[in-house]
Amino acid sequence: PSPNSPTFTADKDTVQTGGTTCVDMKVSKFTNILSAQFVITYDQTRVEFQSLQFGANPLGLSNGANFNTTVPGQIRFTWNDPTALGLDLTDGTSIFSICFKAIGAAGTSSPINITSITGFPIEVTQEPNGPVTPNLNNGSVFIANAPPPPLTLSFGTVTNINCFGQSTGAINLNIAGGTTPYTVSWSGPSGYTSTATNLVNIAAGNYSVTVTSADGQTKTLGPQAVTQPSALTVALAPNSTQNVKC
């Protein structure tokens, strides 16, 4: 085909396993076009046809009049300009979208090919040239892994100190989501630091923690106070002293 021939381009999309994506069919060099027909094929073991979307619908399309989706793995498209004068569209215009659900394994893909089948050839006609050979750019749907769940942090059991000045406190940390392993970084009073998940034998004060999961999520929690009782003080009452007599 000539570089100036009408061009049909199917997008290349990425979708997570179990998700849905809609592949746009776009045109360029769409000048004085009278009619078009072709077949879109896809791998029915990896993507499942869901619906057609028309957006601004510059061609005035409808499901029943312009598409046949009854055969799994293929979608037949046909269109004729009702004015018979030839239609012009701006380069990059989406004429319709095909929505698919990803049913294949992560890491696989389905080609979205613009092609012909027996008894249904590719045909594009242009005023005044008649039949022309279009440029066809195939698309695809790549199936990606679902993202890990969000990283969440919460403090569990906090053990306060029973006697002033001792280092018998403890903080348990609950970590969920993200991808293991986790990197843990605690900070506390008097320059205290630790990379342990749970803290034991700690002094009174405020503690904060930052956790980073292997997939790059980061969360910070705190401060969490570890308390202790006040220092015990002893004071002698006035005139409470008595000398020893021998």
Side-chain angles (χ1 to χ4, degrees):
S2 165
N4 294 320
S5 294
T7 300
F8 296 83
T9 300
D11 275 353
K12 299 179 187 294
D13 286 5
T14 297
V15 63
Q16 296 164 8
T17 302
T20 299
T21 188
C22 296
V23 176
D24 288 340
M25 183 66 65
K26 297 177 180 177
V27 296
S28 58
K29 306 293 192 302
F30 199 95
T31 305
N32 296 328
I33 302 301
L34 294 168
S35 67
Q37 80 167 28
F38 48 78
V39 178
I40 302 104
T41 61
Y42 58 92
D43 186 342
Q44 61 181 310
T45 67
R46 295 178 177 174
V47 294
E48 182 180 76
F49 171 73
Q50 298 292 292
S51 65
L52 293 159
Q53 303 291 330
F54 302 117
N57 203 3
L59 299 185
L61 305 175
S62 65
N63 282 283
N66 302 104
F67 296 89
N68 184 330
T69 61
T70 57
V71 179
Q74 64 177 243
I75 299 169
R76 301 187 186 196
F77 165 70
T78 184
W79 169 81
N80 292 280
D81 178 14
T83 70
L85 298 175
L87 183 66
D88 297 348
L89 294 177
T90 303
D91 286 358
T93 297
S94 175
I95 56 174
F96 60 86
S97 300
I98 311 169
C99 298
F100 297 100
K101 179 179 180 180
I103 59 174
T108 63
S109 64
S110 169
I112 308 297
N113 291 332
I114 308 168
T115 186
S116 62
I117 59 173
T118 302
F120 201 88
I122 297 170
E123 292 183 354
V124 177
T125 58
Q126 185 177 43
E127 176 67 28
N129 301 322
V132 294
T133 301
N135 292 297
L136 304 174
N137 297 320
N138 296 323
S140 62
V141 173
F142 177 76
I143 303 171
N145 285 308
L151 178 66
T152 61
L153 307 179
S154 64
F155 290 124
T157 302
V158 177
T159 303
N160 293 313
I161 296 167
N162 292 326
C163 296
F164 178 82
Q166 292 185 345
S167 295
T168 56
I171 302 175
N172 288 338
L173 178 65
N174 300 318
I175 308 175
T179 302
T180 58
Y182 303 118
T183 300
V184 180
S185 178
W186 287 92
S187 61
S190 303
Y192 176 90
T193 61
S194 177
T195 57
T197 300
N198 300 313
L199 301 184
V200 294
N201 299 324
I202 55 175
N206 291 323
Y207 293 83
S208 296
V209 63
T210 297
V211 176
T212 302
S213 59
D215 57 295
Q217 298 183 66
T218 298
K219 292 286 184 181
T220 297
L221 186 64
Q224 171 63 52
V226 174
T227 64
Q228 64 180 350
S230 300
L232 180 64
T233 59
V234 177
L236 295 176
N239 302 318
S240 63
T241 61
Q242 184 175 357
N243 295 323
V244 177
K245 295 180 180 180
C246 299

